[in-house]
Amino acid sequence: AGRARGSRGMEAAAGSCRGPLPAWWGLLRGLLLAVLAAGSCQGNSVERKIYIPLNKTAPCVRLLNATHQIGCQSSISGDTGVIHVVEKEEDLNWVLADGPHPPYMILLDGNLFNRRVMLQLKGTSRVSGLAVAIAKPSPPQGFSPGLKCPNDGFGVYSKDYGPQFAHCNKTVWNPVGSGLSYEDFDFPIFLLEDANETQVIKQCYQDHNVPRDGSGPEYPLCAMQLFSHMHAVTSTVTCMRRSSLQSTFSINPEIVCDPLLDYNVWSTLQPINSSGKVDPEKEVIIVATRIDSHSFFWNIAPGAESAVSSFVTHLAAAEALHKVPDVHLLQRNIMFTFFQGETFDYIGSSRMVYDMEKDKFPLRLDNIHSFVELNQVALRNDSILWMHTDPVSRMNESVEVQVRNLLDILSNSSVGANVTLQEAGYSQPLPPSSFQRFLRARHIPGVVLTDHRTAFQNRYYQSMYDTPENIRMQYPEGLSPEETLEYVTDTAKSLAEVATVVARALYRLAGGANNTSAIQADPKTVSRMLYGFLIKMNNSWFQSIIKPDIKGILGDVPQHYVAVSSPVNTTYLVQYVLANLTGTVVNLTKEECLNPEKTPSTEKEMYDYAWVQGSLDPNSTSRVPYCVRSTVRLSKALSPAFELRQWGSTEYSTWTESRWKEIRARIFLVASKELEIITLVVGIAILIFSLLATYFINAKADVLFSIPRDPGAVAY
């Protein structure tokens, strides 16, 4: 501003000394100002003309544990390469050997995204990054980037407990697992979620990059740039130590990684004091399942079979039990538990066991009568559901008697149903399950229910293809979103049958003596849950059962990754669906519902209260909110390793996620190196010429810009 005011002052002085400036001077100044203004306004549009952003992508990010780093990252300024489309393995030869314009950015067909191809690309400097197109339909041979032995080393089996079962020696649970998610790649890998963007890239490739007559294409070439630089390196031990030092000594600490964390969701059939301790003589049956999943790409975790099928069945069983008139008279209580972070070495279950051992949870391990876990249950053959037990703990006679009773009750509960329960075998170990973390602490009678006797039926475990199609969810053509929400699929009917059998068995196990034929899970409720958790979260039912202040969690495509910001969408929705299915609508005002401690006889320690949005009024656009009372609670799902600051622990999960600055992808045309050098040299030459011209014009300004005297004027 000072410089501007000074120049205007000099201009005014010149005008007063030399008389009025000529018209061309004002025209030139106006033109210069217009050009500068246009440049500042159109800078972004120039960038838009150069780059085409790719907005529907998902990156592979870096995760770390006590000893390793896995995942992907770009250089700090992003990685760039000439695009080459690889649709069959022969196309790799151009990238790895023949192509004259390395490094290359590969657009890889989803059917070629496997361990063998990826390790070839990992071992060369001719590849700068990868964009993966989703295979449609899903690869028929299956695809699982997870481990063949999930959560190996963090379950119950070890050299000290059932060594013959450790490291999946007896049963390889995930035989199609490639371990690709647990590799470390030093170049960025992105998933292309939008088929239209994939087509744009292919068209750019066809127009500019296709080799002509066996020789390399001519410039300009179509290129891609991927940004996904990660801040954390080496291991959780290293990144947590750096973050801790930053937090201790820096005013503005730069945290480089965060622990994977969230909340477990739990509730009880009969209310208990959440801030107290359950009576040591009171027995509780735990029903458990996991609610998280994972894939190679960040926040792409549909988990239809690996997670959703089981926790939806669990929710339906909870609803069926709460409808039974005499549940308050049952001898034993039932706790419905939904664990978060189980994909990453049992984060949620290990934390609950830790809290029970340290008296930080209302229940103690001694209160647990038995344990029933729902694992993958949607892909049954001949309607058979397999009951898995732990052969090591069953060597104890008292445990064997209780386990046999549990198996008998489950088997008898399936009589007359379209589900047949069979024992997997006395010598068969437990599959990967939360129950294993409880067995590490205490011999507890328990059973894990699955749709597989040995290896998983799920060929897409922990992958982006574990979608509704994987569990055979099908809808008729032409249904509206509301009709799709209410449509009862065959999958929903099948899972409702499983929920019915489980609910009846739990009733008997808890001491119920009445006829169980009236205990029935609702297929319509199961349909709604499957639609909401697998197809569209932002639906009318979910909108009606959540609090108004968290309605922003309802995105379109559901994902079930545990992440580092909590609670995630899945946790919130499981919490409020469970409250809706098992809670009671109470006659409280909004103020009373939000502050139950101010209202007499609300029993705040026994119940949780939620003011939810309610359904839309049929005659208006406003909603009819109401208050729900339930026993649903949240408990922390953060690995004890971070509470204890034991970042190198082999007892507890140590998984962290690296932080990053930006994640983005774009394509553009790139010129040859020769043209770039020529452009740079010409630009430098023009700059030098401009500087010299400016210098000489400025030095001769009094001559070049002097005002000619009026020839008619005479000076004396």
Side-chain angles (χ1 to χ4, degrees), residues 17-75:
C17 294
R18 299 194 295 264
L21 293 172
W24 61 267
W25 174 256
L27 183 64
L28 178 61
R29 184 180 67 174
L31 184 61
L32 287 171
L33 290 174
V35 169
L36 289 173
S40 62
C41 294
Q42 298 299 320
N44 287 335
S45 67
V46 171
E47 181 177 351
R48 286 196 297 269
K49 289 178 180 177
I50 296 174
Y51 300 104
I52 299 176
L54 304 173
N55 299 316
K56 294 288 185 69
T57 61
C60 160
V61 303
R62 175 168 289 167
L63 299 174
L64 310 99
N65 65 10
T67 55
H68 292 81
Q69 64 180 30
I70 64 172
C72 324
Q73 77 154 355
S74 72
S75 62

Side-chain angles (χ1 to χ4, degrees), residues 352-366:
M352 184 170 283
V353 171
Y354 174 82
D355 286 344
M356 287 180 175
E357 290 177 323
K358 302 298 180 183
D359 281 342
K360 296 180 179 180
F361 195 79
L363 266 67
R364 300 178 180 88
L365 289 170
D366 292 341

